[in-house]
Amino acid sequence: MKKKIMVTGSDGFLGGRIAAYYEMDYDVIRVSHGDLDITDEEAVGEFIKDKSPDVVIHCAAISNTRVCEENPALSEVVNRRGSVNMAKACRENGSRLLFMSSDQIYGGSRQKGPNKETDEIPLINVYGTHKKQAEDEILEILPDGICLRLSWMYDFPVRGLKSSANLLVNLLRAMVQNHPIKLSVSDYRSITWVQEVVKNIEPAMSLPGGIYNFGSESTLSVYEIGSRVFQMLDKSGNRGNFVIPDETGAGNNPRNLTMDMGKLKAHGIGFSETVEGFSKCLDASPEYVHPLIGESIVEL
């Protein structure tokens, strides 16, 4: 009998890919907003009891940071309270919970070097604040709950799955439109191929309860990453200075969202370094790259 896993946010960028990847080996229960209102504690409890999943992979969230800043009440009820509702229902049902958290918790970091899970970082944005509050409450309810702090992710557009405004798509769109792209020199962050996140979900199900950074390592700015990825894409080398440095705020407390992966590696789970991950992604999907740049036939 197949192990039963429930994926909330299954119509989203990450949840859709997780559900599609694991449905051959697991009994996957896809849950979108139309199936369940996660802000309704009673409904969540009844839903989990009825479906009785072994594992709940909670991807449902309002992840647009601007929307969260503009409507903090909505962020609070979905990103914090909805996640707490899931934890309570999992406790009652005996289900393992994997909560998709965020590197935005490190938004206030100005330290040198990657952030560790134990670092005390000022919370400066609504989305990061509510993710951190959800982590704390989940682990109080479910000490064996697993909170995975995800970085900015990317993938090629895949038919039937939700796309997103990620760095790879932004670079490809800029090349198709022949319009240079500006990227920040003062924004340091990990950027992860979503397929590596998806494949590492399975071993993550067996992690001890707690908080884990979950993505690629990096010491580079978004501008530096984008420049290197552009060189991989521009095989002809004819486009010149296509990635332009955005020096807004340069030298004035650069933002550091990079993540230290030591805790996760100690449990045998690893990710490619950020630039290496882009290289692997491009090598794995050449059928997308050449038509897109050469003939612009792939929809973005």
Side-chain angles (χ1 to χ4, degrees):
M1 190 172 182
K2 291 183 179 180
K3 195 172 186 178
K4 190 183 294 186
I5 63 174
M6 176 181 291
V7 183
T8 69
S10 62
D11 53 349
F13 176 74
L14 175 59
R17 284 164 171 79
I18 291 173
Y21 184 81
Y22 287 107
E23 61 188 359
M24 289 291 291
D25 297 323
Y26 292 86
D27 181 2
V28 175
I29 304 165
R30 296 171 178 257
V31 183
S32 67
H33 178 66
D35 301 313
L36 176 66
D37 178 2
I38 65 170
T39 68
D40 184 334
E41 181 177 350
E42 183 176 349
V44 171
E46 291 176 355
F47 193 88
I48 298 292
K49 181 179 179 181
D50 178 61
K51 301 298 183 182
S52 193
D54 297 294
V55 180
V56 173
I57 303 170
H58 183 44
C59 302
I62 295 175
S63 58
N64 186 312
T65 56
R66 184 174 64 181
V67 170
C68 292
E69 292 296 325
E70 294 173 350
N71 195 338
L74 179 63
S75 174
E76 193 278 335
V77 75
V78 174
N79 294 329
R80 186 197 70 80
R81 197 183 313 167
S83 303
V84 170
N85 290 342
M86 296 301 299
K88 290 178 179 178
C90 285
R91 179 182 60 189
E92 294 305 309
N93 188 69
S95 304
R96 196 85 199 272
L97 176 65
L98 273 69
F99 169 60
M100 301 300 108
S101 190
S102 173
D103 65 353
Q104 289 296 322
I105 288 171
Y106 301 126
S109 174
R110 300 296 181 266
Q111 66 185 24
K112 300 286 186 181
N115 298 286
K116 296 182 179 180
E117 295 89 343
T118 53
D119 290 341
E120 295 290 334
I121 306 296
L123 296 167
I124 64 169
N125 65 59
V126 170
Y127 181 64
T129 296
H130 290 149
K131 284 291 189 178
K132 180 63 170 65
Q133 290 173 348
E135 285 181 352
D136 293 342
E137 292 183 64
I138 286 170
L139 292 176
E140 185 174 340
I141 296 164
L142 277 177
D144 70 340
I146 302 163
C147 301
L148 304 178
R149 291 181 178 172
L150 306 178
S151 72
W152 192 16
M153 294 174 287
Y154 63 89
D155 199 8
F156 284 102
V158 177
R159 187 167 285 107
L161 294 175
K162 185 177 181 180
S163 190
S164 71
N166 60 72
L167 181 58
L168 179 58
V169 167
N170 293 347
L171 283 167
L172 291 169
R173 182 181 289 117
M175 294 178 76
V176 167
Q177 297 174 352
N178 197 31
H179 190 279
I181 186 171
K182 289 183 87 172
L183 296 173
S184 175
V185 302
S186 58
D187 191 14
Y188 291 79
R189 64 190 311 176
S190 306
I191 308 178
T192 311
W193 185 18
V194 70
Q195 295 301 331
E196 291 199 24
V197 173
V198 169
K199 291 176 183 178
N200 277 332
I201 287 293
E202 186 171 50
M205 294 179 195
S206 300
L207 286 169
I211 297 169
Y212 299 86
N213 290 335
F214 203 75
S216 293
E217 292 179 296
S218 175
T219 59
L220 304 175
S221 69
V222 174
Y223 167 72
E224 291 170 317
I225 296 167
S227 297
R228 296 188 188 191
V229 176
F230 171 72
Q231 290 173 5
M232 298 177 199
L233 292 168
D234 185 26
K235 298 182 184 299
S236 67
N238 295 328
R239 292 179 183 262
N241 189 21
F242 202 83
V243 180
I244 301 171
D246 180 355
E247 299 186 356
T248 305
N252 182 24
N253 294 324
R255 186 174 73 150
N256 175 23
L257 295 178
T258 62
M259 301 190 298
D260 183 291
M261 298 300 296
K263 182 178 179 181
L264 192 70
K265 287 179 181 178
H267 292 280
I269 303 176
F271 286 83
S272 303
E273 179 274 334
T274 288
V275 174
E276 179 189 5
F278 274 99
S279 179
K280 288 182 177 180
C281 175
L282 296 178
D283 287 345
S285 307
E287 67 273 20
Y288 289 101
V289 179
H290 301 297
L292 185 59
I293 296 174
E295 301 175 32
S296 306
I297 63 172
V298 174
E299 293 183 7
L300 288 174

